[in-house]
Amino acid sequence: MIYDVIIIGSGPAGLAAAIYAKRAELSVIVIEKAGISGGQIINTYEVDNYPGIPGISGFDLSTKFREHCDRLETEFITGEVTDFVLEDQLKVITLEDGTKYSAKSVIIATGGVPRHLNVEGENKFSGLGVSYCATCDGAFFKNKSVAVVGGGDVAVEDAIFLARICKQVYVIHRRDEFRASKSISSRLLAMENVTVLWDSVVEMIAGEETVTGIHVSNLKTQENNIYPVSGVFIAVGYIPNSEIYKKVVAVDEAGYIIAGENCETNIPGVYAAGDVRTKDLRQIITAASDGANAITAVEKYLNHLE
Ligand code: NAP
């Protein structure tokens, strides 16, 4: 069988694309690696910024997305994509067991993972004070002290966002200047409740049930200090799951698949949706939006083929 579209990945982008594809009466399959739908949000303790369902757990939200797909009788396949032909008009996707699926178009919605610091306490307190998304979790730390780790655009934007709602923000950066653009860096440095710990690295995240402090070491003076914080926001970059597609699909220097809002990549009939795509804001709502936009683009592409 030749499907209209194969969707690779079953996070919010892939599931939204599946819903739009079924409603557009396209023949579609979703290939998911782990045999569980939802992507990164499965492990999110609470999602408080998805309109209409405040305070829902990430697991419950992904279950709702999946149930919506099931109601539309969407076909899901569990398997890891190991090879593909994307450049030809007929796209062929091969899984690790050798099974092949063919389609007229493909949506890559494989997401990514935040880079970890790999320090003591990071995994233990993930979701219990350690967060990789300030815009998702910042509101839980209103009037509290928090730390932001990193010196790029995301870390600096996160710190500005947090400084508006938190009592005190410590920014921990391993060098003596930010990588982030000058304009936002200056805005951050002018904020009264922000302290930047330059040339500093996190040694350990401490706590009991939840985070209570962060152990920081200065690389130049070797001085160690403990800062009392209840939240630690880690913003040291993100690793998009684009590795195997790079040989044919154009990516930027950080590995994100280059695509605009219509999700079109450099290859006709191949789309990138969600966190794997170049974009400014990586959130559930923008991933879901990509899924809808990608299917709209697929429909136009299929009409053009026929
Ligand atoms: P990024 O620019 O790669 O910055 C990552 C930061 O984390 C750097 O400051 C880096 O330090 C630090 N870092 C990396 N690994 C570390 C480790 N193991 N321990 C401690 N620190 C570590 O990543 P990003 O901020 O997530 O941004 C991703 C991309 O999106 C960038 O190209 C960025 O410009 C873009 N973006 C743009 C906008 C905007 O234009 N408004 C907004 C958001 C993101 P070093 O500086 O020492 O390398």
Side-chain angles (χ1 to χ4, degrees), residues 115 117 150-155 157 173-175 179 235-237 280:
R115 181 174 289 122
L117 287 175
D153 281 315
V154 170
E157 284 183 358
H173 183 36
R174 62 185 179 183
R175 290 190 294 127
R179 177 178 295 278
V236 295
D280 276 347

Side-chain angles (χ1 to χ4, degrees), residues 35 71 94 159 163 173 194 196 230 276 286:
R71 203 162 64 109
T94 306
H173 183 36
V194 173
V196 182
S230 44
V276 77
T286 62

Side-chain angles (χ1 to χ4, degrees), residues 3 51 79 90 96 98 101 106 159 169 171 179 200-201 230 259 278 288 295:
Y3 291 92
L90 181 68
E96 81 280 17
Y101 295 93
V106 170
V169 178
V171 180
R179 177 178 295 278
S200 296
V201 291
S230 44
T278 47
I295 288 299

